[in-house]
């Protein structure tokens, strides 16, 4: 059974891009199944002693590996402008994209009016008495998925037929302009300008468009190995996260099947990616958030600024109650723990093992935000370590306290840690974790 899924197990930004890039040489296809250009998957590599970095928003993180085909599945919401710009940037690095990138004909498109509506909605939420702004990335994700489920969306396949596109676009823009003007008192968009701009995308995108579900099915029949790349994180899932402070798609394991059109019986590995501490961008409850110096220290050391928006990320201790919940929802077969190096130089590390609320102490994660904001995290304190571990390549060379930290996490979750990432570069990875972590 040849499909593996890489899934963010927290609030996104766990370092999925690096892990997908690392696993790509062992697969034939890397496929994105949900989200859109709200994602920022950072790849860092050493090129003749120089560190190079590339942030992918839509193109799967396997693109830098020759021979790997990249698929953007039907579950993704695609900003045609953003994808074409990203393709050009990748090509400018000398990477061959032609024939190696396939875009689902059924993926829904993000249009300028999605971003305009989202901006207006967020502005209104921010100015409301209860200030319930979500803090989105502003990429039009929510309104694009709204149109998809309202059955009024425009899909990639529509770009390929000028008459259909003109008709659908006009109708959509006129409807959205009425909402912008009448509901949000916002500026209407120029219908003709948008129509003329978007009919141009036809020939630019045509070569990449295909029925990706059929392509994947044929490839799997022929023995291909597929890596499904989740975006965002499980705690941002529209069903399993702290709704409404979530994204509008399904980063969790189930999203892979519907977002690519592959059967669950094809999946044999569900790899959860967890940061050694926690971060969150945007609003919404975050039980282990650290407001003071320790949080700032994590932000600085971990360079915790959004790869897509540049916003500072909120930082906090590792929350095992939340992680146990996402292990349950996804059924992780193993975990990769990232950014362990960021915890170096701290005397004591705290790990949240229980929540207290309503005078009860529990390991249950309440995803309802009204309860999640009320919980008081209960911590266990573990000894920290001083040494810089970013150069360590074997688990036995980690300080005892770092190995104990890994063992504590594994024992609590009852899920094995198979990989430890200790720096942003490709080479900063420990793969021989198993024999030592549980020791
Ligand atoms: P949206 O996905 O832009 O609608 O944003 C909804 C929520 O998800 C906001 O809190 C965003 O900050 C968060 N979010 C969306 N994409 C990412 C991501 O790739 N990493 C981390 N947070 C994200």
């Amino acid at each position: 059974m040849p499909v593996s899924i890489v899934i963010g197990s927290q609030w996104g930004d766990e370092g999925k891009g690096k892990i997908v890039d690392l696993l790509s040489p062992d697969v034939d296809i890397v496929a994105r199944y949900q989200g859109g250009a709200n994602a920022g998957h950072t790849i860092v590599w050493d090129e003749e002693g120089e560190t190079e970095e590339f942030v992918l928003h839509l193109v799967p993180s396997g693109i830098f590996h020759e021979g790997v085909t990249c698929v953007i599945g039907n579950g993704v919401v695609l900003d045609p402008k953003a994808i074409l710009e990203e393709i050009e940037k990748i090509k400018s690095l000398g990477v061959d994209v032609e024939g190696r990138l396939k875009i689902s004909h059924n993926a829904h498109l993000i249009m300028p009016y999605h971003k305009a509506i989202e901006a207006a909605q967020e502005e209104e939420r921010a100015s409301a008495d209860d200030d319930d702004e979500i803090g989105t990335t502003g990429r039009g994700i929510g309104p694009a998925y709204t149109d998809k489920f309202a059955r009024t969306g425009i899909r990639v396949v529509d770009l390929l037929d000028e008459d259909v596109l003109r008709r659908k676009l006009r109708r959509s823009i006129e409807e959205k302009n009425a909402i912008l003007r009448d509901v949000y008192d916002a500026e209407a968009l120029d219908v003709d300008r948008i129509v003329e701009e978007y009919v141009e995308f036809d020939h630019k995108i045509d070569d990449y468009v295909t029925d990706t579900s059929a392509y994947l099915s044929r490839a799997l029949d022929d023995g291909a190995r597929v890596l499904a790349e989740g975006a965002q994180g499980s705690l941002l899932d529209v069903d399993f996260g702290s709704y409404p402070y979530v994204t509008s798609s399904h980063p969790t394991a189930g999203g892979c099947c519907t977002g690519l059109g592959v059967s669950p019986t094809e999946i044999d590995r569900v790899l959860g990616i967890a940061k050694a501490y926690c971060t969150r961008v945007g609003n919404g409850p975050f039980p282990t958030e650290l407001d003071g110096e320790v949080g700032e220290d994590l932000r600085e050391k971990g360079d915790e600024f959004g790869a897509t928006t540049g916003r500072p990320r909120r930082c906090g201790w590792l929350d095992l109650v939340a992680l146990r919940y996402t292990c349950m929802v996804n059924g992780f077969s193993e975990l990769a723990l990232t950014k362990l190096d960021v915890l170096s130089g701290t005397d004591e590390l705290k790990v949240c093992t229980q929540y207290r609320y309503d005078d009860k102490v529990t390991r249950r994660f309440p995803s309802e935000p009204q309860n999640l904001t009320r919980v008081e995290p209960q911590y266990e304190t573990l000894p920290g370590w001083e040494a810089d571990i970013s150069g360590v390549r074997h688990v036995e060379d980690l300080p005892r306290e770092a190995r104990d930290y890994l063992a504590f996490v594994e024992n609590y979750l009852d899920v094995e840690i198979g990989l430890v990432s200790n720096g942003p570069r490709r080479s900063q990875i420990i793969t021989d974790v198993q024999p030592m972590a549980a020791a």
Side-chain angles (χ1 to χ4, degrees), residues 232-375:
Q232 290 77 53
S234 303
L235 296 169
L236 291 172
D237 186 283
V238 67
D239 277 305
F240 298 104
S242 48
Y243 188 92
Y245 301 100
V246 292
T247 191
S248 297
S249 65
H250 293 291
T252 47
C256 167
C257 297
T258 53
L260 292 177
V262 299
S263 161
T265 56
E266 300 280 7
I267 297 164
D268 70 342
R269 188 183 186 197
V270 186
L271 176 60
I273 317 298
K275 215 181 268 194
Y277 49 99
C278 280
T279 61
R280 175 165 201 171
V281 235
N283 297 334
F286 180 3
T288 62
E289 181 166 17
L290 291 161
D291 287 326
E293 211 178 297
V294 186
E296 261 165 47
D297 202 40
L298 281 176
R299 184 175 309 119
E300 287 309 314
K301 283 211 286 203
D303 193 20
E304 295 296 353
F305 297 89
T308 298
T309 59
R311 291 181 291 177
R313 296 178 185 143
R314 301 155 66 191
C315 297
W317 294 123
L318 182 62
D319 186 341
L320 289 179
V321 178
L323 199 49
R324 184 168 161 268
Y325 168 73
T326 61
C327 285
M328 175 194 83
V329 168
N330 291 293
F332 293 134
S333 41
E334 71 198 278
L335 284 173
L337 203 75
T338 61
K339 293 192 135 178
L340 188 65
D341 56 306
V342 175
L343 295 182
S344 295
T346 315
D347 290 347
E348 287 186 336
L349 300 167
K350 289 191 192 278
V351 179
C352 170
T353 52
Q354 298 190 91
Y355 289 163
R356 175 184 289 279
Y357 68 102
D358 287 345
D359 289 330
K360 283 193 218 104
V361 171
T362 177
R363 283 175 158 213
R364 191 185 90 81
F365 179 82
S367 62
E368 328 79 62
Q370 56 275 38
N371 289 332
L372 198 53
T373 31
R374 284 171 40 221
V375 305

Side-chain angles (χ1 to χ4, degrees), residues 145-162:
Y145 278 114
T146 303
D147 277 0
K148 169 173 176 169
F149 287 98
R151 296 164 295 178
T152 55
I154 300 180
R155 300 191 294 176
V156 167
V157 66
D158 299 324
L159 277 180
L160 311 185
D161 184 325
E162 188 173 329

Side-chain angles (χ1 to χ4, degrees), residues 71 74 104-106 210-219 260-262:
V71 168
N74 55 280
S104 168
H105 65 319
N106 282 340
T210 190
D211 178 345
T212 50
S213 170
Y215 166 75
L216 287 169
S217 167
R218 273 196 311 273
L260 292 177
V262 299

